[in-house]
Amino acid sequence: MPPKKPKHTAFTVAVSAADDGASAPALRVFVAMATDPLAAVAAVQAVAPEASVELSGTLSDRLAARLKLRPGEVRPI
């Protein structure tokens, strides 16, 4: 019997840009399809290395399917 594929979950990750003092800090939300929360945060950190990154939640499997997210994908939402 072949081994099972690990289940991927759509994790939402908040990304805030460095505060320059001139304007309000920008906040964006990314979604990352990953097997665990640490992998999701690491994937988003690779996309936005200068920003502060924080796990904020998950999307439902149904919504992830409607967005056509693939395993390992990182996308701003």
Side-chain angles (χ1 to χ4, degrees):
M1 182 178 209
K4 284 180 138 181
K5 290 183 188 176
K7 180 173 174 12
H8 284 79
T9 303
F11 293 97
T12 55
V13 180
V15 177
S16 57
D19 186 11
D20 62 2
S23 60
L27 179 66
R28 296 186 70 188
V29 178
F30 284 77
V31 63
M33 284 293 284
T35 55
D36 60 74
L38 294 177
V41 170
V44 173
Q45 188 71 48
V47 173
E50 300 296 320
S52 175
V53 176
E54 181 180 342
L55 184 70
S56 60
T58 60
L59 297 180
S60 68
D61 292 339
R62 187 175 182 177
L63 184 54
R66 292 202 61 175
L67 291 172
K68 298 180 182 171
L69 296 170
R70 296 181 312 266
E73 183 177 5
V74 175
R75 185 189 309 177
I77 55 172

